[in-house]
Structures are given as structure tokens and as C-alpha cells.
Amino acid sequence: MLYQEVRPTTLDEIIENKATVESLKALLAGDALMLPHAFLFHGESGCGKTTLARILANELGCDLLDIVELNAANTRGIDTARDIAQHLSIAPHGKARAYILDESHQMTSACQEALLKSTEDIPSHCFFIFCTTEPDSLIKTLRNRCTQYEVLRLSTAGMKELIGLVAVACEMELSDNLMRQLIEHSDGCPRAALVSLEMIQKVPEDLAVDCLKTKDSSETEFIDLCRLLVANQKGKWPEIAVMLKSMRLNDMEKARRTVLGYLNSCLLSSKDSHEAQRFADMIDVLSQNVISNCVASFSSMLFYASRL
């Protein structure tokens, strides 16, 4: 995959997210005894959290055998935490060992509780790097042990720089129109941009533009759901219920995130304090539930919305 082939390998290669990059550089250049041993990278999917985690592991002196990368969506139980604890004291092959826990919001509560001891008394040669799209799904005591960084979407200028650099490396010529379509289609997400770029790599421009303009049907459905929710019309409840029943469980979480983003935009553009409070309350209700309870999350928010 193109996004894997051109993945940055140093902090200097990271585009934007300058506050995070400069902070990491300062930490790495400082006193090694003062270096944090637990990090948390959070932000939307495809924005570079795992990439930063791997770069950080390399900068900490880990060789390939010392980087233990776990997908918490698959290894999410207490056995994972116990296995980590049993191996913490083993000397690394290089200078350090790093445990990268991707999708760490998927860890069970028991797993997170079991990691508290490991993340409190971390050997000098070990580091924990948590990556998540849902930082609030981690228990507070675990979050508080970490130095936290938010990884943001790229700006339009950042996306243009990224796509331009990759296009040159792949010997692709992009017209202004196609560049604009790629930027709009990827919506600030580097991975989405590179996946799209690879998809159109050998496609004539007119077909490439049509391809990028084609939206996922579920995306349109989610936006329709957003509009129904903010319309504040109680009579729309049956229509909303039908829409929710047609969604798969995986779609429910994607819908929840889409609605949160939509409500946030509505909040920022509110005309008065009453309207702003309405959107803020809806965001609060929808944000309180984790992925495993996203159906209940929607039910709570919809019940609230129907009462307004």
C-alpha cells in the first residue's frame, strides 16, 4: 500500500502537528532521566498516531525486535496486560523496548486496570505508547500516567504539501483540479489521501475526478441522520429509528463520530446561547458512551433530542 511505502520515519518528515513534533524533539534532546515512559497519542483515524509512535520508539533507541506493537482490538483482555508485565524486566536487544498499543480504547476495563501497575513502575528501559481515537474510553488513572499528545488533521496547505511530495516520488502529474478533488475527498486525513492517490495512480484524469466525487452511500446516510437530529422535529423520530435499524454495529460507531463532528460544527456556528447549549448537551450525551455501547449512546441522545 502506498501509505505504508511513504510513511515518515523521522520527526522532521512529519507535516504539520508542529506543537507535538517540537515537544517530542525537546523531550528527546533533554535529560534522559526526566524522559516520560508512557505516552498517549490521540486523534482521528488515519492522521498519523501509529506513525508517530513508531518514530518515537526508534528515537528512544529501540531496534526492530524491541518494538512490540499490539492491536488492542484483537488483544484487548487481561492476558495481554499480564504477558506485558511478565516481560518488562527482560533486557532489550537495543537500548530500550517500546510497547505500542494501537486502538487502545478497545482494551477491556480489566486489561486497563491490570496495566496500572506496569505503567506506574516502568523499568528504565521500557516505554508504553498508547494510540487511540477515543482517549476518554481509557480509564482516567491510566490516562494520567501518560504524556498526552493530540494528532490533528492536516490543513488544506498541509494536504497539498503531502500529496505533492508523494506525487513527485511516484512520478505522477496532478492538475490543479485533481489536487483540489484529492484534498476535498480526504478531508485532512493523510491516509485517506494516499489511499485515494494510489487508487487513481493509473487512471485518466476525467475518470479519476469522477471516482473521487463518488461518495460512500453510508456517508450520505450519516449526513441525513445528522440533519434529522438537529432539525428538532419530534415527528421525525420514526424516520430516525428506521435509519438506525438499517445500520450494522460497525456503522453505528462511524455514525456516532460523524454526528459528533456535525454537532460540533453546529455548536461553533450557533446563533445564540440557547441553541449553543442544545448542541453542547447533545454532544455531551453522545460522548459519554464507548464503542461497545454505541447503540445505547444513540438511544440516550435521541431520547434527549426528542424531549427538546
Side-chain angles (χ1 to χ4, degrees), residues 43-279:
E44 296 186 48
S45 179
C47 290
K49 300 181 296 296
T50 305
T51 295
L52 275 169
R54 292 173 179 173
I55 292 173
L56 177 59
N58 288 328
E59 294 287 345
L60 291 169
C62 302
D63 69 15
L64 189 59
L65 294 175
D66 291 322
I67 300 176
V68 183
E69 192 166 336
L70 301 171
N71 184 346
N74 299 323
T75 54
R76 59 196 298 266
I78 193 170
D79 288 342
T80 297
R82 289 171 175 166
D83 185 64
I84 291 174
Q86 289 175 358
H87 291 85
L88 278 181
S89 60
I90 299 175
H93 292 84
K95 294 181 180 179
R97 178 182 300 112
Y99 292 92
I100 299 176
L101 289 94
D102 216 351
E103 305 294 338
S104 54
H105 57 274
Q106 298 271 24
M107 293 187 298
T108 64
S109 296
C111 179
Q112 294 184 46
E113 293 284 354
L115 282 173
L116 290 178
K117 180 64 174 177
S118 296
T119 53
E120 182 177 22
D121 299 321
I122 306 176
S124 60
H125 64 268
C126 286
F127 295 87
F128 284 88
I129 309 174
F130 298 92
C131 301
T132 178
T133 56
E134 299 281 344
D136 291 338
S137 296
L138 295 177
I139 57 177
K140 186 175 180 180
T141 44
L142 185 58
R143 292 201 312 269
N144 288 345
R145 283 165 164 74
C146 301
T147 299
Q148 301 182 35
Y149 294 99
E150 183 177 11
V151 184
L152 302 172
R153 288 174 176 266
L154 298 187
S155 66
T156 298
M159 290 299 296
K160 186 174 183 179
E161 180 183 355
L162 171 67
I163 295 170
L165 288 171
V166 176
V168 170
C170 296
E171 298 182 347
M172 293 179 62
E173 292 187 10
L174 298 177
S175 67
D176 291 342
N177 182 41
L178 194 51
M179 172 67 81
R180 183 172 60 255
Q181 292 293 337
L182 280 165
I183 293 173
E184 292 178 359
H185 184 78
S186 49
D187 193 24
C189 175
R191 183 168 62 198
L194 297 179
V195 169
S196 296
L197 194 61
E198 183 174 41
M199 179 178 63
I200 65 169
Q201 194 169 3
K202 298 181 180 180
V203 176
E205 181 171 338
D206 56 340
L207 295 179
V209 171
D210 289 341
C211 185
L212 292 174
K213 286 182 177 179
T214 302
K215 290 187 177 181
D216 181 7
S217 61
S218 63
E219 180 182 344
T220 301
E221 185 179 20
F222 296 157
I223 296 300
D224 289 341
L225 174 61
C226 294
R227 289 170 178 160
L228 285 172
L229 289 171
V230 302
N232 198 23
Q233 298 177 13
K234 296 179 182 179
K236 294 293 185 180
W237 175 266
E239 191 174 345
I240 293 173
V242 170
M243 193 175 294
L244 289 176
K245 288 178 181 178
S246 69
M247 292 181 183
R248 298 170 300 176
L249 186 58
N250 290 340
D251 287 341
M252 291 290 287
E253 171 57 18
K254 184 176 179 181
R256 188 177 77 92
R257 294 182 189 176
T258 302
V259 173
L260 277 172
Y262 193 91
L263 290 174
N264 186 61
S265 297
C266 292
L267 173 62
L268 294 175
S269 59
S270 298
K271 298 177 180 178
D272 54 58
S273 58
H274 176 74
E275 187 178 72
Q277 187 61 53
R278 172 174 172 255
F279 291 130

